[in-house]
Amino acid sequence: MIGKEKLVKIVGAGNVSYEQKTLDEYSKDISFVNAVRPVCVVKPKNASDVRKIVNLANKTQTPLVPVSSGPPHFRGDTVPGIGGAVIVDLSKMKKIINVDRARRVAMVEPGVTFGELIPAAEKEGIRLNMPLLPRKSKTVIGSILEREPVIMPKYQWDISDPLSCVEVIFGSGDEFRTGQAAGPGTVKEQWAVGGVQKAPYGPGVASWHRLIQGAQGTMGIVTWASMRCEILPSLEEPFVVGSSNLDTLLEMISWLIRLRMVNECFILNNTNLAAIFTKKWPRGYQNLKDSLPAWTLFYTVAGYEYLPEERISSHIKGITEITQRLGVEAVKAAGGVSANEILKAVQQPSGEPYWKLRYKGACEDIFFLTINDKLEGQIGVMNELAEKADYSASEMGVYIQPIVQGTGCHCEFNLFYDPGNPSELNRVRGLSNSAVKSLMAKDAFFSRPYGENANMILNRDAATVAVLDKLKKMFDPNSIMNPGKVCF
Amino acid sequence: MALEDYRGDMEMCCRCSTCKFIPMQKVKGAQYVNVCPSIAKYNFHAYSAGGRLNIAAAMLKDGFKYTDKLLDIVYNCQLCGACGVSCNYAMDMEVLQPISEFRLRCVEDGKTNPALDKVIAGLQKQGTMVPGAKGKRGDWATGLKLKDATKEKVDVLYHVGCLTSYDKNMQKLAKATVKILQKAGVNFGIAGNAETCCGGRAYQMGYKEDFLNQAKKNMDMIKKAGIKTLVTGCADGYQAFKVLYDKYNLKGDLEVLHISEYIDKLIKDGKLKLNKKVNLNVTYHDPCRLGRLGEPWIHWEGKKVPGDRFVFDPPKEYRRGTKGVYEPPRDVLKSIPGVKLTEMTRIKEYAWCCGAGGGVNESNPGFARWTARERIEEAGSTGAEAIVTACPWCEKNFSETIKENGSNLKVYDIVELVEKAI
Amino acid sequence: MALNKEVYKEFEDVVGEENICNDPAIMPAYFSTEFAAVILPGNTAEVQAIVKLCNKHKMQFRPICTGWTGMFPPGIILLDLRRMNRIIEINEKNMYAVVEPYVISSQLQAELMKRGLNFCIKGAGTNCTAMLRGHGHMDQTTSGDDRNHLAIEWITPEGDIVRSGSLGSSDEWFCGDGPGPSLRSILTSAVPPGVTPGVFTKAAVKLYHWSGPSAYPVEGISPHYSLSEIPPNMMARYFSFPSVEKMWQAELKIGESEICFELMGFNISMVAANITTSNEEEEETFNRLNKEVQGPGFFVIVVGDTPADFEYKQRVLEKIVSENDGKSLKAVEDPRIEGILMCQCTRISASIRETFRNGGAFNSIPIMGQRDLTIKWAIGAGKAKEPLIEKGYIVDDGGAFFGWGVEQGHLGKTEIFCKFDPGNPEAKAAVEGWQKEQNRRAFTERYFASTMGPQDEIGPALLNYHLWWQKITEALDPNGVSPSGGSLV
Ligand SMILES: Cc1cc2nc3c(=O)[nH]c(=O)nc-3n(C[C@H](O)[C@H](O)[C@H](O)COP(=O)(O)OP(=O)(O)OC[C@H]3O[C@@H](n4cnc5c(N)ncnc54)[C@H](O)[C@@H]3O)c2cc1C
Ligand code: SF4
Ligand code: SF4
């Protein structure tokens, strides 16, 4: 147990809280994980604070739970897995350290949200490859470390993108910088010769950032991260294609990505599109939903510095060939939602309240990676399970995001529910459990195992877990980093 | 040149493995990418050209340590030269020459292969590479009333070759050739029983002395008879007369033509008309010693220029397989009405060997047949009904392999198809 | 460490007598190393059994694919993976291919081109394995280094089979990461030092769209290959610039505007090497072209996905080049030369001309990452070559470096090498001195740290990554049977 005075000494009294109300806030989230109350919440101001906290934790065997985004949390990963934990809330580390137009890279501390970084990057002429409508409090680093899918798959060359480099304090207390940032020299010394922290691999043969991503804070605490950015287009034209046939849209989207003709692109079902774009709740929701096709593929064609109009027109020509072949039409609006509206929305974080909460107040996400060929079957299974669980399948949001330049896709089911309605809550909870199991049987790959289902997921691959365990022992020998998460 | 003279070449080997494959730009898929039968069959790097060069270089440095494995490596190589072509797309270095010299060295050191010793004993006794040959060399021509080139003046000496002369199944090639030459009105003759083995296959096997012996005998006869032009239907014979004799300064100004070249010329000169239809889908197999190894010898002697580059004074021109005989047989096939030629993946300078060369046919028939099987399968993959070659050794190996393994593919020598068309 | 008969027999039982050999005669063929034995496993199960035996007998082993680059400690078992040569799957829809170790890149590429696909091919050439990581000419659009692997089947140094990512959980190859942290962090393999211990027995690699022909119309007899026609939607050019800065600006804009399939920053000496068929011709050509270029430059290949796309890309290219005062090299505008380069630089088939042909050896400093930074360093490294050129130790390439764009210029690669005659000890020493000094300069001036340099010096400056890596390998390989060996180039 870390003594209060020690924490106060590190971060100052104002940044340590033992207040019940605060602790309660961190003891649970919207997910179904068991509530576990932390001992205190500490808000470090910089990397040196973090290192001191980690060292203290090692000496006292105190579990640390790193949190960078603000509430509401959804996945249970920031709820302590065991008692006696200290929440390391990084939200005060809010520096945007660097934005470099020429090298297309930005560098931020963990507390920086999308809402904060977007304008700073834009000012320089670049932008982030965003996840779909993150909540306002979501931090950039939080999203990237979780390997959240991004909406411009064309620019996601590797699943670790857009992450470039990180500075991390491992559970062992050792400081490390990954990729180009490792050195030679400090970050500032690298800047002095014109270096930025961009190349992700190394040092040596390893790709250390991959170990930290997806770890849910179990390997160490990231104190800054750099990420690749893309150039702001000089011209953009968004389109939507509606269809009742998902297969057709999947075929279309895979060609759009394969030929690198589109930037933002994804598929939403009518429930999700309505959940995002309903303006007047609750009345407007059903109307909007009814006006929408079952599935909507959204994409943007863009031009940059040189001959943007020509670029767009050449791509549109190319896309028209595809739509004609598939017998669909690219248009400027689907039902009551315009393509322009979608584009504007998805280039920012979600407005308040967070879109997933607008409909019913809570939402359980079930998401996994898969390949196009298997998607229909998996959605079918999910629909059946929902109906069986007395959850109307048509109430379920579906988000399909091609990833890594088309080598797979992220499929997400959003189960909206009323948290105040215990029976609905229980139904969704049961559905979530059974769904993960059944979807795994259908080859869904739960690459980011959270909360209650993590064990079930990891049990499928004992060989990988055995290796991960060895790595974990090295980087967090006392197992102080977010114990109980992933498979640790 | 001796093995020592290729030390520099061998040391240039960078172990890139290119010599195991057809030239990279010619790779058309997952299949038919190998070009070296030896590494393809035996898999240890030592069986590839690069492996051979590195072994030889090491032996030059550290002394010759013969083991059974080493001899297994040395004798399981068709000396087909494909390795050199692939290597020499990018590299300036000799590949086949040192491999061949290493073989000669083994024989010189008495490290021979018993099966090959037997064949050479036969050669020494009977003047032929067909072991246990019965009868006389000229028996096949009995009753054909051909001119005896050693006695009568002819424009062309038809050198028949060992296999075509002695092998009952191959004599048809000699007869077909005779018919073709007669039809074209060529004033030709044979040497009959005075013909002797060209020595080319003995050379491949490593028996340089026996080769030189044969070469001298042949050239004596040729000079005495005043022959200016020699035509042969055997690719081994062709390469021996044209390239090897030249290499050892024995050829003089003898003009050497392969029968396919000669027929091509006769057709183009209007002396031979192919007007009978031969409805057949064929593919063509380039015999190594007509194709890439049939390119003329380049006499060169020089010294390495001191400095950063592996270059010589005077500059060295490499035999990269560029000037082999590739088009004449194809042109002949194309001029046969009804014949449709579909190419295999591995052709011309990067053709896959039939398997019969380098003494392998005699020392390791199983390997020779394995190699042929690859080729037969490749030929079959083109949809062709027949594989056409231009060498009796290829034909024999293909035919026997097909007999052993079963395949619908027919095997022809190019002269057999021409014969059908006249 | 010689193998005693009983142990030899155990290995032999796994692969059969024709697939194991310890005869000293074969050893010089492999790296001039006396291996305890060379073994040719035929499948994953055999590899696993061999690795288990290695653990049982505490024998060290290393795998090779085509084995171009390794330099291995003597006495170890060499696993020559030559017999594992199948393309397991080409998944066109999901853009990945699964290959065994001895599928060479030209095989996979030829199959892919038929399907309108391509993949990252190492600059070393299509004669190398398709399975291992690397980088090459086409990285601008096919990425490079460790970024193309998806799921991997891996025999750990202890002989367990790990199937990473989606493979382990759902028997699909499309993803190599998770559940949880990614094993791709360590499953990288590469040229030593620091290769991943154990053996990769299959891997999925990412595929990319290819709008070029399904097969090139290559004509001519080796070594005079060229294209009988330039594909109508393709173009290749070489541009030289008055300064490195202008070249870099053009390169940057080309990346940002996503118009080139390939941006290969050849120096003119490499162009000369590529388009010539002998050393003499190369020298003459270099001297001639060197007079024509205005300074540093690069080679580009433009591929149009549609006619409109092709036209757009060409127009933008023209604009960018002219804005930066670039000049097109006339020789490459000749369709014969254009065809040679186009084919060679996509079917990567002439790296040997660029490297080994001249003198039989080259020593290199390659660096991946931030291109503008590494170029800055390379200028100095090039200048430092000049005295060696003057003394005749190394081939005159104008003191040039080279490199290429990666991922539309997000990343890049820069490399500089000296070609020399390894039989000349003075030249060898001079080149090694140059290499050491330029590595040192890169390190002390904070450009980069070549991890091929002295680990004890570099490691501590880079947060002791080498100790972490050592710890990882020790944990994975408690019996120490999977050493990393050294690197040949
Ligand atoms: C002239 C030249 C140019 C080059 N240019 C480039 C370049 O532009 N880009 C580039 O990326 N590389 C380059 N290289 C290095 C290149 O990556 C390698 O040469 C090439 O990938 C080797 O392929 P290979 O099949 O010979 O691999 P090998 O030499 O067989 O193996 C390479 C390494 O990987 C290990 N290894 C092999 N198989 C396995 C396995 N199954 N599991 C685990 N480890 C294994 C080996 O032990 C060895 O350490 C170049 C090399 C040369 C000689
Ligand atoms: S012989 Fe030539 S092709 Fe073969 S490995 Fe050596 S250099 Fe490469
Ligand atoms: S000559 Fe033929 S069999 Fe012998 S090494 Fe060369 S390619 Fe292989």
Side-chain angles (χ1 to χ4, degrees):
Chain A
M1 182 68 147
I2 305 181
K4 181 174 177 178
E5 60 305 338
K6 291 210 164 119
L7 289 175
V8 170
K9 198 168 156 216
I10 296 169
V11 295
N15 291 318
V16 187
S17 172
Y18 286 79
E19 224 176 283
Q20 288 310 312
K21 202 173 131 271
T22 311
L23 299 184
D24 280 346
E25 276 167 21
Y26 288 91
S27 70
K28 56 184 182 307
D29 66 6
I30 293 181
S31 77
F32 301 119
V33 299
N34 293 331
V36 175
R37 189 188 298 209
V39 173
C40 70
V41 176
V42 46
K43 296 189 172 177
K45 308 173 298 299
N46 51 41
S48 143
D49 288 358
V50 174
R51 188 173 33 246
K52 287 178 196 154
I53 295 165
V54 172
N55 284 338
L56 260 183
N58 268 306
K59 281 194 200 121
T60 53
Q61 282 294 328
T62 307
L64 298 180
V65 179
V67 182
S68 59
S69 301
H73 294 278
F74 285 78
R75 295 178 186 140
D77 50 331
T78 53
V79 174
I82 54 174
V86 170
I87 301 278
V88 183
D89 185 328
L90 302 155
S91 59
K92 288 224 158 156
M93 293 176 68
K94 269 201 168 306
K95 271 199 230 79
I96 295 174
I97 304 167
N98 188 22
V99 178
D100 187 316
R101 160 67 184 80
R103 282 66 166 251
R104 291 179 259 173
V105 67
M107 186 178 194
V108 299
E109 287 190 335
V112 174
T113 62
F114 285 99
E116 289 156 350
L117 182 53
I118 289 168
E122 226 162 66
K123 220 172 73 199
E124 301 294 324
I126 51 179
R127 61 165 167 169
L128 293 170
N129 198 348
M130 302 259 299
L132 179 70
L133 292 161
R135 66 179 195 270
K136 191 160 177 268
S137 57
K138 183 85 188 177
T139 61
V140 177
I141 285 186
S143 169
I144 289 178
L145 288 182
E146 285 173 66
R147 291 199 305 258
E148 281 195 339
V150 285
I151 58 175
M152 296 192 285
K154 163 184 166 179
Y155 291 121
Q156 191 185 30
W157 297 77
D158 184 300
I159 201 162
S160 66
D161 288 345
L163 182 59
S164 290
C165 309
V166 302
E167 177 180 79
V168 59
I169 315 290
F170 285 132
S172 62
D174 295 290
E175 180 190 321
F176 201 77
R177 296 190 303 274
T178 66
Q180 189 180 354
T186 61
V187 166
K188 284 211 174 99
E189 285 168 332
Q190 291 172 16
W191 288 345
V193 283
V196 288
Q197 291 66 45
K198 179 89 184 264
Y201 28 66
V205 72
S207 287
W208 311 88
H209 64 301
R210 299 186 195 279
L211 190 69
I212 295 150
Q213 266 186 317
Q216 299 173 25
T218 58
M219 293 290 174
I221 300 179
V222 169
T223 49
W224 56 250
S226 58
M227 61 227 53
R228 65 166 62 193
C229 297
E230 305 302 334
I231 303 167
L232 275 179
S234 62
L235 207 60
E236 293 177 287
E237 255 207 78
F239 293 91
V240 287
V241 180
S243 178
S244 56
N245 186 343
L246 179 60
D247 249 358
T248 308
L249 296 187
L250 289 174
E251 165 95 12
M252 172 154 182
I253 205 165
S254 59
W255 278 103
L256 295 181
I257 295 164
R258 175 167 170 172
L259 293 167
R260 310 280 189 264
M261 295 195 291
V262 298
N263 285 353
E264 290 88 352
C265 76
F266 48 80
I267 296 170
L268 291 171
N269 75 345
N270 52 355
T271 305
N272 263 350
L273 206 52
I276 297 166
F277 289 102
T278 294
K279 288 182 192 84
K280 292 225 162 63
W281 289 91
R283 216 170 5 103
Y285 171 72
Q286 196 58 43
N287 286 346
L288 180 57
K289 187 170 161 183
D290 291 345
S291 79
L292 294 168
W295 300 100
T296 300
L297 157 58
F298 169 82
Y299 64 85
T300 318
V301 182
Y304 295 100
E305 186 178 343
Y306 295 92
L307 312 177
E309 289 89 359
E310 265 128 289
R311 183 174 206 262
I312 287 177
S313 92
S314 94
H315 281 341
I316 289 177
K317 255 194 220 158
I319 293 169
T320 308
E321 272 176 37
I322 298 170
T323 51
Q324 280 171 353
R325 180 160 54 77
L326 295 174
V328 291
E329 205 184 349
V331 291
K332 299 304 280 182
V337 184
S338 80
N340 274 320
E341 196 180 343
I342 301 178
L343 178 62
K344 247 178 85 187
V346 299
Q347 292 182 339
Q348 297 295 330
S350 166
E352 288 290 291
Y354 182 42
W355 70 272
K356 288 183 183 170
L357 305 182
R358 289 177 204 159
Y359 181 24
K360 294 207 159 170
C363 179
E364 165 77 356
D365 300 334
I366 297 168
F367 51 85
F368 53 86
L369 300 182
T370 188
I371 49 179
N372 284 352
D373 329 42
K374 303 232 160 154
L375 201 48
E376 289 261 42
Q378 288 153 347
I379 293 173
V381 163
M382 189 64 200
N383 284 340
E384 274 169 38
L385 288 171
E387 298 292 347
K388 233 194 262 164
D390 219 6
Y391 184 98
S392 167
S394 68
E395 293 287 278
M396 185 171 75
V398 186
Y399 163 42
I400 295 166
Q401 180 62 64
I403 59 161
V404 196
Q405 299 186 321
T407 48
C409 60
H410 163 96
C411 174
E412 178 169 326
F413 301 116
N414 306 109
L415 302 170
F416 304 109
Y417 66 94
D418 175 2
N421 177 340
S423 110
E424 198 171 307
L425 185 145
N426 278 331
R427 263 181 290 142
V428 167
R429 181 177 191 158
L431 175 56
S432 168
N433 282 327
S434 65
V436 170
K437 208 181 280 170
S438 306
L439 287 164
M440 278 200 295
K442 282 267 171 196
D443 295 340
F445 173 43
F446 289 83
S447 72
R448 298 155 55 206
Y450 291 106
E452 290 196 312
N453 296 317
N455 280 341
M456 183 174 30
I457 292 165
L458 281 143
N459 283 341
R460 305 240 322 176
D461 190 358
T464 292
V465 170
V467 178
L468 288 177
D469 273 336
K470 289 183 180 169
L471 297 174
K472 167 79 172 174
K473 283 203 181 75
M474 232 168 281
F475 293 100
D476 181 24
N478 296 322
S479 208
I480 56 157
M481 292 309 309
N482 212 358
K485 300 296 148 59
V486 195
C487 51
F488 308 122
Chain B
M1 302 259 274
L3 186 61
E4 283 75 4
D5 298 318
Y6 296 105
R7 192 192 298 268
D9 299 77
M10 297 192 288
E11 283 170 0
M12 282 296 284
C13 171
C14 63
R15 289 196 173 83
C16 63
S17 287
T18 306
C19 49
K20 298 171 184 170
F21 308 107
I22 63 173
M24 290 299 119
Q25 297 176 36
K26 296 288 186 174
V27 172
K28 294 202 171 78
Q31 263 191 312
Y32 309 125
V33 62
N34 291 324
V35 87
C36 167
S38 187
I39 180 77
K41 171 91 168 84
Y42 294 103
N43 288 312
F44 290 102
H45 191 64
Y47 287 83
S48 72
R52 291 167 192 279
L53 299 191
N54 281 292
I55 289 172
M59 298 232 160
L60 280 183
K61 210 163 109 214
D62 308 329
F64 279 67
K65 294 177 207 123
Y66 288 105
T67 67
D68 289 350
K69 189 74 192 172
L70 178 65
L71 296 180
D72 190 68
I73 294 164
V74 167
Y75 288 102
N76 280 309
C77 160
Q78 277 90 349
L79 288 151
C80 69
C83 45
V85 169
S86 286
C87 176
N88 288 165
Y89 175 74
M91 287 298 274
D92 284 1
M93 60 185 266
E94 294 289 353
V95 180
L96 184 64
Q97 294 309 319
I99 293 176
S100 174
E101 287 296 339
F102 195 65
R103 175 85 69 102
L104 301 182
R105 175 68 174 265
C106 288
V107 172
E108 226 176 83
D109 288 351
K111 303 295 175 186
T112 53
N113 178 295
L116 301 187
D117 281 342
K118 241 161 99 186
V119 177
I120 296 300
L123 172 69
Q124 289 163 351
K125 211 164 105 202
Q126 283 183 293
T128 172
M129 295 305 279
V130 179
K134 303 248 158 52
K136 294 213 174 93
R137 197 173 259 269
D139 285 356
W140 66 272
T142 315
L144 292 180
K145 302 210 179 79
L146 303 180
K147 282 189 183 165
D148 182 343
T150 63
K151 298 192 179 113
E152 295 167 73
K153 184 136 185 58
V154 293
D155 295 339
V156 167
L157 167 67
Y158 168 39
H159 175 88
V160 184
C162 299
L163 192 62
T164 311
S165 297
Y166 284 106
D167 188 317
K168 290 266 175 311
N169 296 323
M170 290 298 145
Q171 288 170 353
K172 60 183 177 186
L173 304 187
K175 289 176 185 156
T177 305
V178 163
K179 250 198 227 165
I180 296 164
L181 295 177
Q182 286 172 338
K183 179 94 182 173
V186 178
N187 174 20
F188 75 99
I190 59 171
N193 293 338
E195 182 182 300
T196 186
C197 173
C198 64
R201 289 180 70 81
Y203 188 78
Q204 294 167 35
M205 291 172 184
Y207 299 79
K208 184 168 152 190
E209 285 314 311
D210 294 279
F211 157 73
L212 287 173
N213 229 342
Q214 293 301 120
K216 279 177 200 137
K217 277 188 206 163
N218 273 308
M219 286 317 294
D220 283 351
M221 182 270 281
I222 285 168
K223 272 187 200 137
K224 222 158 96 195
I227 309 267
K228 297 253 163 3
T229 302
L230 178 143
V231 170
T232 177
C234 174
D236 283 324
Y238 175 74
Q239 197 234 6
F241 280 103
K242 181 176 154 189
V243 185
L244 295 179
Y245 287 16
D246 194 13
K247 176 175 177 182
Y248 288 95
N249 292 313
L250 296 167
K251 180 167 139 318
D253 49 11
L254 179 70
E255 181 189 26
V256 181
L257 293 171
H258 186 263
I259 187 70
S260 61
E261 290 177 290
Y262 196 53
I263 296 174
D264 184 44
K265 192 160 136 24
L266 291 172
I267 295 172
K268 284 177 182 155
D269 291 349
K271 294 196 176 126
L272 188 67
K273 295 226 154 41
L274 308 184
N275 34 30
K276 279 212 200 115
K277 224 168 169 192
V278 183
N279 281 323
L280 199 64
N281 288 335
V282 305
T283 189
Y284 176 69
H285 168 79
D286 292 271
C288 305
R289 287 175 179 76
L290 174 62
R292 57 182 161 250
L293 297 179
E295 88 175 359
W297 186 257
I298 300 171
H299 288 276
W300 173 87
E301 229 176 294
K303 271 210 179 96
K304 182 181 176 305
V305 178
D308 45 30
R309 284 184 171 87
F310 191 63
V311 290
F312 298 87
D313 183 26
K316 177 164 183 179
E317 193 187 329
Y318 289 84
R319 294 169 68 242
R320 299 177 205 258
T322 318
K323 294 180 184 134
V325 179
Y326 306 116
E327 291 312 324
R330 287 179 168 76
D331 286 350
V332 171
L333 287 174
K334 282 177 203 156
S335 56
I336 302 176
V339 164
K340 190 175 154 252
L341 173 66
T342 310
E343 295 282 6
M344 290 183 271
T345 301
R346 296 173 288 191
I347 54 169
K348 299 185 183 175
E349 75 276 20
Y350 55 97
W352 175 260
C353 170
C354 79
V360 170
N361 192 49
E362 292 79 6
S363 67
N364 189 354
F367 175 33
R369 233 87 80 220
W370 178 90
T371 309
R373 211 155 57 226
E374 263 276 325
R375 194 57 162 170
I376 289 160
E377 187 199 299
E378 184 181 0
S381 76
T382 65
E385 301 156 79
I387 182 167
V388 180
T389 179
C391 175
W393 295 96
C394 300
E395 174 162 351
K396 179 167 185 277
N397 198 27
F398 287 146
S399 299
E400 288 176 359
T401 305
I402 286 175
K403 216 194 247 158
E404 208 176 272
N405 296 281
S407 155
N408 295 329
L409 200 73
K410 297 193 192 76
V411 186
Y412 292 109
D413 189 286
I414 193 162
V415 293
E416 296 174 82
L417 293 190
V418 174
E419 182 194 14
K420 284 180 202 277
I422 53 177
Chain C
M1 218 190 302
L3 276 187
N4 71 40
K5 273 210 178 97
E6 290 77 48
V7 179
Y8 187 90
K9 179 75 176 44
E10 285 182 45
F11 284 109
E12 188 183 287
D13 287 344
V14 176
V15 290
E17 67 173 317
E18 67 282 16
N19 294 314
I20 176 166
C21 182
N22 65 353
D23 193 291
I26 72 161
M27 300 308 170
Y30 293 93
F31 317 107
S32 313
T33 300
E34 288 291 329
F35 294 111
V38 179
I39 304 182
L40 298 161
N43 55 45
T44 301
E46 288 183 9
V47 174
Q48 183 180 28
I50 294 164
V51 171
K52 289 226 151 124
L53 282 176
C54 285
N55 276 280
K56 178 175 154 194
H57 298 296
K58 307 270 185 299
M59 294 286 315
Q60 293 192 321
F61 69 89
R62 276 263 6 119
I64 53 166
C65 294
T66 74
W68 197 358
T69 45
M71 216 165 66
F72 302 103
I76 67 166
I77 299 236
L78 186 71
L79 297 187
D80 182 341
L81 303 174
R82 213 188 116 77
R83 292 172 63 226
M84 297 174 68
N85 59 2
R86 290 173 309 154
I87 296 177
I88 306 290
E89 182 187 358
I90 294 176
N91 192 318
E92 296 175 48
K93 232 172 160 179
N94 302 292
M95 309 283 281
Y96 66 79
V98 184
V99 290
E100 289 190 331
Y102 209 90
V103 171
I104 57 167
S105 294
S106 62
Q107 288 175 293
L108 180 60
Q109 188 188 36
E111 291 296 338
L112 293 176
M113 284 167 71
K114 292 182 207 168
R115 296 161 169 85
L117 294 165
N118 209 330
F119 79 114
C120 166
I121 294 175
K122 291 167 277 294
T126 37
N127 47 318
C128 293
T129 174
M131 188 191 75
L132 295 179
R133 97 182 216 177
H135 44 246
H137 304 53
M138 300 180 285
D139 283 7
Q140 183 82 333
T141 51
T142 66
S143 186
D145 293 304
D146 72 332
R147 293 169 60 79
N148 275 305
H149 272 151
L150 301 170
I152 293 173
E153 181 185 85
W154 172 49
I155 309 292
T156 70
E158 292 185 276
D160 298 321
I161 301 186
V162 171
R163 305 169 85 226
S164 67
S166 54
L167 190 62
S169 295
S170 53
D171 208 23
E172 291 284 353
W173 289 94
F174 71 95
C175 178
D177 309 80
S182 173
L183 286 189
R184 281 174 68 207
S185 52
I186 56 165
L187 297 188
T188 52
S189 177
V191 280
V195 296
T196 302
V199 186
F200 296 165
T201 43
K202 292 185 193 81
V205 297
K206 207 171 142 221
L207 303 182
Y208 297 85
H209 182 73
W210 167 246
S211 280
S214 56
Y216 277 115
V218 180
E219 64 172 12
I221 304 289
S222 180
H224 304 288
Y225 293 145
S226 184
L227 301 186
S228 59
E229 59 169 358
I230 304 295
N233 62 337
M234 290 181 76
M235 179 185 89
R237 287 289 180 271
Y238 185 88
F239 298 108
S240 68
F241 295 85
S243 66
V244 173
E245 180 52 28
K246 293 224 164 175
M247 177 193 84
W248 165 242
Q249 281 308 318
E251 190 176 319
L252 192 69
K253 296 288 175 192
I254 284 173
E256 288 181 357
S257 50
E258 304 170 356
I259 52 169
C260 287
F261 170 75
E262 170 171 328
L263 187 148
M264 178 69 187
F266 275 143
N267 54 56
I268 208 64
S269 153
M270 294 172 94
V271 173
N274 264 276
I275 63 178
T276 55
T277 58
S278 73
N279 274 319
E280 288 84 0
E281 189 192 353
E282 177 186 331
E283 192 172 359
E284 180 275 316
T285 307
F286 167 69
N287 289 331
R288 183 162 43 82
L289 299 185
N290 202 27
K291 285 190 199 109
E292 190 188 330
V293 292
Q294 7 168 30
F298 52 66
F299 167 77
V300 295
I301 297 178
V302 177
V303 188
D305 294 327
T306 61
D309 182 50
F310 190 41
E311 199 193 314
Y312 163 77
K313 285 171 173 167
Q314 285 173 297
R315 284 189 57 196
V316 174
L317 177 64
E318 205 181 296
K319 251 176 118 83
I320 293 172
V321 168
S322 97
E323 275 174 16
N324 292 288
D325 306 322
K327 194 172 109 187
S328 167
L329 186 68
K330 284 282 165 290
V332 179
E333 292 179 7
D334 169 359
R336 193 182 67 84
I337 307 279
E338 183 185 15
I340 292 174
L341 284 172
M342 189 178 277
C343 186
Q344 258 164 210
C345 297
T346 46
R347 300 219 65 188
I348 323 301
S349 45
S351 82
I352 301 162
R353 288 185 178 177
E354 297 159 8
T355 50
F356 287 110
R357 179 170 68 190
N358 286 167
F362 73 104
N363 276 19
S364 181
I365 309 176
I367 178 72
M368 283 68 75
Q370 189 192 332
R371 180 102 164 108
D372 60 324
L373 177 71
T374 50
I375 288 178
K376 233 163 105 181
W377 161 83
I379 298 171
K383 280 233 160 353
K385 279 207 279 188
E386 283 166 10
L388 279 68
I389 295 172
E390 263 162 44
K391 290 201 179 102
Y393 289 152
I394 63 170
V395 172
D396 183 3
D397 59 3
F401 56 89
F402 72 105
W404 57 73
V406 181
E407 297 179 1
Q408 303 291 13
H410 266 297
L411 297 166
K413 136 111 182 214
T414 300
E415 181 166 353
I416 182 161
F417 57 57
C418 293
K419 298 184 279 186
F420 63 102
D421 170 7
N424 176 347
E426 280 172 22
K428 193 159 182 276
V431 169
E432 281 165 1
W434 166 85
Q435 199 177 17
K436 208 165 150 198
E437 172 54 23
Q438 293 313 309
N439 269 331
R440 190 201 58 76
R441 190 173 63 83
F443 182 64
T444 54
E445 293 177 15
R446 314 264 189 249
Y447 288 105
F448 60 87
S450 166
T451 45
M452 282 151 125
Q455 298 284 294
D456 309 350
E457 193 184 321
I458 291 165
L462 269 64
L463 306 140
N464 285 321
Y465 80 92
H466 64 311
L467 300 182
W468 284 111
W469 182 254
Q470 195 183 323
K471 258 181 157 177
I472 290 175
T473 50
E474 280 165 9
L476 295 172
D477 182 15
N479 292 321
V481 294
S482 190
S484 77
S487 138
L488 192 67
V489 287

